[in-house]
Amino acid sequence: MTPSPPELLTSVLGRYDTLPVPADRPLVTLTFAQSIDAKIAGQHGKQLILSGKESMILTHWMRTMHDAILVGIGTALNDDPQLNARHLPPLPEGQRHNLPRPIVIDSRLRLPPTCKLLNNYRSGRGRRPWVICVTADDVEWRNRREMLEKAGARVIQIPIAIHDNQLTIHDILYVLRQHGIRTLMVEGGARIIASFASSLAGNSVINSLIITVAPALVGTEGVAYGIPLQSDTIHCLEHVRTDVVGKDTVVAFTSRALT
């Protein structure tokens, strides 16, 4: 029997197959793991392994169901992630799991050329990472860009609507859609999650929200995603499913536009 994604994912994300993709952004799945006390990282953003084996496999299946996977530079620096599907069972001979395009939001090009994303690409074990940055023209920035491109990264500059030297979510999503990304999985870290969650208060860009809750307590030193969600700003999302996956609980919401 050919391995396939769990029913929780097909029931939630399978809807993307028939949903029209907006012209100005991809369809977006926001997902993260948190502790019982709503922490997603340790002190100073230190990586926490919150997900159990079973929910980690579910996350890797989720990755294969998207064109691209997005993280912020904080996560890229703290975790040095691979953003692939290495925990999935092998497919029959001649078949391969779909690997998402890794995308790093990195306004000032701080991503190390020696990171795992670029090492995997150079060794043929991953797709070419895209690095999204603001447009700059100083010598230091040009040098960093040259090093990243030599290491294999594609650097995509956004010269518009820069606020406090930060790229807006809507600018980023527009550029990704123009580059052919139809479905996007957003995996962290705290600032990226907060930015996407903030859109719930206005023109929401979230089509699906999938949260893994681990039976762990982190404490006040841990990092939360930092956005207080008001009851009058979350009406656009509807709970559709809760599954127990190993020791964890996975809760899924979708945009009411999908129902």
Side-chain angles (χ1 to χ4, degrees):
M1 188 180 209
T2 302
S4 59
E7 184 182 348
L8 182 150
L9 296 181
T10 57
S11 66
V12 175
L13 302 179
R15 307 178 190 198
Y16 290 178
D17 293 338
T18 57
L19 191 69
V21 182
D24 60 347
R25 68 171 179 86
L27 300 173
V28 173
T29 302
L30 176 61
T31 185
F32 53 90
Q34 68 168 59
S35 62
I36 289 290
D37 54 345
K39 300 298 192 295
I40 63 172
Q43 190 173 20
H44 307 305
K46 182 180 179 180
Q47 183 182 22
L48 290 178
I49 306 299
L50 291 169
S51 300
K53 177 182 177 181
E54 295 85 355
S55 59
M56 181 67 72
I57 291 172
L58 181 141
T59 297
H60 282 220
W61 276 118
M62 199 186 319
R63 291 174 176 175
T64 70
M65 301 172 75
H66 292 83
D67 292 342
I69 180 169
L70 182 148
V71 298
I73 184 58
T75 294
L77 294 175
N78 289 330
D79 300 355
D80 196 13
Q82 300 189 62
L83 305 181
N84 55 20
R86 63 192 181 279
H87 291 316
L88 296 186
L91 295 175
E93 186 175 354
Q95 299 183 36
R96 299 178 62 185
H97 291 292
N98 174 63
L99 292 180
R101 170 83 59 192
I103 297 173
V104 180
I105 306 304
D106 183 11
S107 295
R108 292 295 299 169
L109 298 183
R110 294 186 291 150
L111 186 70
T114 56
C115 68
K116 290 178 182 176
L117 290 175
L118 287 166
N119 287 340
N120 284 348
Y121 171 63
R122 290 193 299 269
S123 64
R125 293 181 289 114
R127 298 186 67 182
R128 184 185 189 187
W130 291 357
V131 180
I132 309 296
C133 67
V134 300
T135 297
D137 198 31
D138 56 90
V139 173
E140 183 182 1
W141 183 89
R142 290 198 299 270
N143 289 339
R144 288 198 296 262
R145 176 182 176 180
E146 183 179 354
M147 286 190 297
L148 284 172
E149 290 178 335
K150 283 184 177 179
R154 178 179 182 183
V155 177
I156 299 176
Q157 303 173 59
I158 300 182
I160 57 174
I162 302 169
H163 303 283
D164 299 324
N165 204 35
Q166 298 297 317
L167 300 168
T168 71
I169 291 299
H170 292 281
D171 291 340
I172 293 166
L173 293 179
Y174 179 79
V175 167
L176 293 181
R177 186 70 190 96
Q178 300 313 299
H179 283 77
I181 301 299
R182 299 180 68 260
T183 56
L184 177 69
M185 178 175 168
V186 178
E187 203 170 296
R191 291 181 64 180
I192 292 292
I193 293 170
S195 296
F196 277 85
S198 294
S199 77
L200 293 171
N203 182 22
S204 176
V205 298
I206 300 173
N207 296 97
S208 300
L209 172 64
I210 300 177
I211 303 173
T212 298
V213 182
L217 295 169
V218 174
T220 57
E221 296 83 3
V223 175
Y225 40 92
I227 292 294
L229 298 179
Q230 304 297 327
S231 59
D232 60 348
T233 66
I234 56 176
H235 62 277
C236 59
L237 293 176
E238 180 176 26
H239 172 254
V240 291
R241 184 159 179 155
T242 298
D243 281 18
V244 175
V245 181
K247 68 181 181 64
D248 303 323
T249 301
V250 181
V251 188
F253 300 82
T254 61
S255 166
R256 291 187 183 275
L258 294 180
T259 59

